[in-house]
Amino acid sequence: MIRSLDAREPDLSAAPDHPLASVEPVVSDTRRSIATANVRRALLSGVFAPGQRIREVELARALGISRPTVREALQQLVHEGILVAEPYKGVRVAEPTARGVVDATNVRTLLEVQAARELAEPAHEAGRAALRAALARHLAALDGDDEEACEDTHLDLHRAIWEGSGNAMLKRIWPLIVSQVRIAVLLDEETHYDHERYRADHERLVATIEGGDPAQIEDVFRHHIRWRERDAR
């Protein structure tokens, strides 16, 4: 289900003779980011099928927001690779392939290993504290058996690794990587979460970073990410 935002945002296009009809409405970063998150969640939870065309008007109505806000959200998702823009045809849901999963996994593995190694450095204790907090939230979500919360906190944990590394470039790349991770999971509709395995794997990731051994970090992270790839194929 698509989460609706505040429906009171004015739709100026509905009144073409209004004196302000030609003025582009102001869109706050918060409203745009919430809209993008809601559309992303709808796409990645299977509300729209791969290849399906996205109708801007219908989406704006469902979300209770203006078309300019929806348009900016869609542009962001095109940038992330979740949607595909086609000249004169509009926007449709991307159709992921097994080759795409492999490519994304190869890139993610290299970058996440690097992020974990940097996070393990003595100078990044604050980042490791944030990682421990993210792990605690993920374990609590697993205990609650809330699949949506499990997925959100799972991704937040990995985000904490990238952002906690202190590497500005990795932080900028993360939004592209996280979308590919979610798309990979959607390739297999039979994918189910094994909560006990998730718990053990993520506790191991955090413990390995705390241990600070670069070789062990690479081995554990490669195994973790490759397992996710096999699970999605």
Side-chain angles (χ1 to χ4, degrees), residues 208-220:
T208 303
I209 289 175
E210 297 276 19
D213 183 333
Q216 187 175 14
I217 287 173
E218 179 170 2
D219 181 62
V220 169

Side-chain angles (χ1 to χ4, degrees), residues 39 59 109 127 200:
V39 176
L59 191 56
T109 300

Side-chain angles (χ1 to χ4, degrees), residues 184-185 188 191-192 198 226-233:
V185 174
D188 183 3
T191 295
H192 297 289
Y198 264 50
R226 295 295 176 179
W227 166 66
R228 291 291 295 158
E229 175 197 342
R230 290 192 298 272
D231 189 49
R233 290 172 63 182

Side-chain angles (χ1 to χ4, degrees), residues 167-214:
N167 187 313
M169 184 59 67
L170 289 174
K171 185 175 180 179
R172 291 176 60 186
I173 293 172
W174 168 254
L176 299 178
I177 296 295
V178 69
S179 295
Q180 295 305 314
V181 173
R182 281 174 149 155
I183 288 172
V185 174
L186 292 180
L187 276 178
D188 183 3
E189 293 184 353
E190 299 303 316
T191 295
H192 297 289
Y193 293 111
D194 180 340
H195 287 191
E196 290 308 312
R197 184 168 187 173
Y198 264 50
R199 173 185 296 276
D201 277 0
H202 289 100
E203 287 179 332
R204 185 179 303 113
L205 292 182
V206 174
T208 303
I209 289 175
E210 297 276 19
D213 183 333

